[in-house]
Amino acid sequence: MKRRYSFPVHLTGAAVARTGDEMAGPALVLAGLALTGSAADASLLLAGVTVSSVLGGPFLGSLLDRAERPGRLLAAALALYAAGLTAVLVGLGRLPFALTLAAAVLTGLLGPALSGGWTAQLRAVVRDDRLDRANALDAMTFGAAGLAGPALAGGTAEALGAPTAVVVSAALVALALPAAWALPARTDPTPKSPTRGGRPRPVPPGPAPSVPVPSGPLVGPAAGLAAGLRAVVRSPALARATLTSVVSCTAQGMLTACLALLGERVLGGAGRGAMLLSCAAVSALAANAVLARFPRAIAPDTLLWTGALLQAAAPAAAVPGHPTVLVAAAFVAGIGEGPQLTALFAVRHREAPERLRSQIFTTGAGLKITGFALGAVVAGPVAARSLTGALLLATGTAVLAALAFFAVPAARGRAAPA
């Protein structure tokens, strides 16, 4: 099956879907402001479509791990996500805002499908000897989407109106449906040694899972969900990678909440703060391109905590308020974010038990998205009173992410499979 499904198709589908996702947030904010006239309601839409990911991620991953054709389920999730964005747009200004916000929350439950759910299928698409490079290229799609999505949202809203930007974002997500639908069927991940002609068939070599993996009939969704969470908690490598990435994402949300004020006070216009996101996306893309060329130059575990420290340096450098330093700080943030994401995926591919792989990816994605949302919610009021205080809060949180990596002890050895 790996030879019948082209990795470039997988990569293109991921890039298109993630661009639509990155476009959706800014587009919803712009549409909410245009159609309701309330900045508070617009920000609530963004919070609604992001914060619910922590609930949807584990359950969606559990279903993907159980599905014989995970691509079909992934395609359904993408279709529902696109439909949800459209429903939110239709409801704005026509239905009570509470109903529209509820639609945004329900749509957000499917958000992890575009990130962790897609990446979890990577091992079924490429051979193990090409996984490191494929993983770096997959992480690059996040950088490309982070660069293109907000720019498309702003440009489309300016030229055709904010509601059209939401329509375009939903259409981009829908365009990825064929690539998701065509993903290979799942092969039985449970090691077996059935006889063929009286001789046992050898079991392919590979790393033993960090936690026992059930070998009997597939458990129900709730029990499978709990198994995935236990897999993260019981594996030191997965636990510290997840903790470090979530706290880092919280710091990213805090910095993002400061961008409008930074643009207004340092760059001459609140809208210019979005330029800093583009700078970070460009440097993240460039750093991951280097990693794709030399995928084993630095250990993934090292990239996790060093990436957090680089992200800590960025908001600290922005405190003095010099335009050149501020732009440079945005580039530094991207250099930390891009390789850290690649390293996170590499650790998950290395450590995740096969039958829980999708759930571990989507659970982590949901936690990260929710961490970002909470960081933005916390830093927003702080920035309104003291921009310097909010930037230092982001710096401290990113430093905490690096410390969190070392707070979880490294594994002394892998547990034997049950």
Side-chain angles (χ1 to χ4, degrees):
M1 295 301 296
K2 294 181 182 179
R3 295 181 180 178
R4 296 180 184 177
Y5 184 86
S6 170
F7 174 61
V9 171
H10 176 90
L11 206 62
T12 301
V16 171
R18 288 163 180 167
T19 299
D21 186 36
E22 290 288 344
M23 185 179 181
L28 283 176
V29 171
L30 293 171
L33 185 60
L35 297 178
T36 69
S38 169
D41 285 351
S43 63
L44 278 176
L45 283 178
L46 178 59
V49 83
T50 53
V51 75
S52 58
S53 295
V54 71
L55 299 177
F59 189 73
L60 179 62
S62 177
L63 294 178
L64 284 170
D65 283 327
R66 291 163 51 84
E68 182 180 350
R69 295 298 302 258
R72 305 287 172 87
L73 181 59
L74 184 59
L78 296 180
L80 289 173
Y81 188 82
L85 293 176
T86 305
V88 172
L89 176 61
V90 171
L92 280 173
R94 297 181 178 88
L95 298 175
F97 182 74
L99 292 178
T100 306
L101 180 60
V105 172
L106 290 175
T107 302
L109 292 172
L110 300 165
L114 286 79
S115 50
W118 203 300
T119 300
Q121 313 308 317
L122 190 61
R123 201 156 194 168
V125 176
V126 298
R127 298 197 305 265
D128 287 347
D129 61 343
R130 297 185 179 180
L131 185 60
D132 288 338
R133 183 173 184 273
N135 181 56
L137 292 172
D138 179 69
M140 286 176 65
T141 65
F142 285 91
L147 177 62
L152 278 174
T156 303
E158 187 73 21
L160 302 174
T164 305
V166 179
V167 173
V168 173
S169 67
L172 285 173
V173 173
L175 278 176
L177 288 176
W181 185 270
L183 278 163
R186 183 181 307 283
T187 56
D188 186 3
T190 306
K192 297 179 181 178
S193 299
T195 59
R196 177 188 296 173
R199 292 178 299 175
R201 185 185 306 167
V203 177
S210 301
V211 297
V213 181
S215 57
L218 287 173
V219 294
L225 187 153
L229 293 176
R230 285 197 302 268
V232 173
V233 172
R234 293 180 180 179
S235 166
L238 284 175
R240 66 185 187 180
T242 300
L243 181 60
T244 302
S245 66
V246 170
V247 180
S248 292
C249 226
T250 304
Q252 293 166 22
M254 291 176 174
L255 180 58
T256 301
C258 299
L259 292 182
L261 285 175
L262 281 171
E264 182 179 69
R265 299 181 185 181
V266 181
L267 301 176
R272 297 180 183 180
M275 179 190 69
L276 300 175
L277 288 176
S278 298
C279 292
V282 167
S283 60
L285 200 59
N288 275 337
V290 175
L291 280 182
R293 179 67 179 84
F294 306 101
R296 299 183 181 180
I298 305 176
D301 302 87
T302 302
L303 286 173
L304 283 168
W305 64 267
T306 54
L309 290 180
L310 285 172
Q311 291 173 64
V319 169
H322 300 294
T324 302
V325 176
L326 178 58
V327 173
F331 280 109
V332 170
I335 294 173
E337 291 174 17
Q340 187 187 59
L341 183 63
T342 301
L344 175 64
F345 289 168
V347 171
R348 287 177 182 164
H349 280 302
R350 184 187 73 202
E351 302 289 336
E354 188 64 37
R355 292 181 68 179
L356 302 174
R357 183 175 304 279
S358 295
Q359 188 182 154
I360 287 171
F361 269 89
T362 55
T363 298
L367 289 170
K368 286 186 62 182
I369 295 170
T370 302
F372 183 94
L374 292 177
V377 167
V378 169
V382 177
R385 295 189 175 188
S386 171
L387 180 57
T388 297
L391 291 170
L392 293 177
L393 181 62
T395 293
T397 304
V399 170
L400 186 62
L403 295 176
F405 179 89
F406 295 102
V408 179
R412 295 181 179 179
R414 292 183 181 271

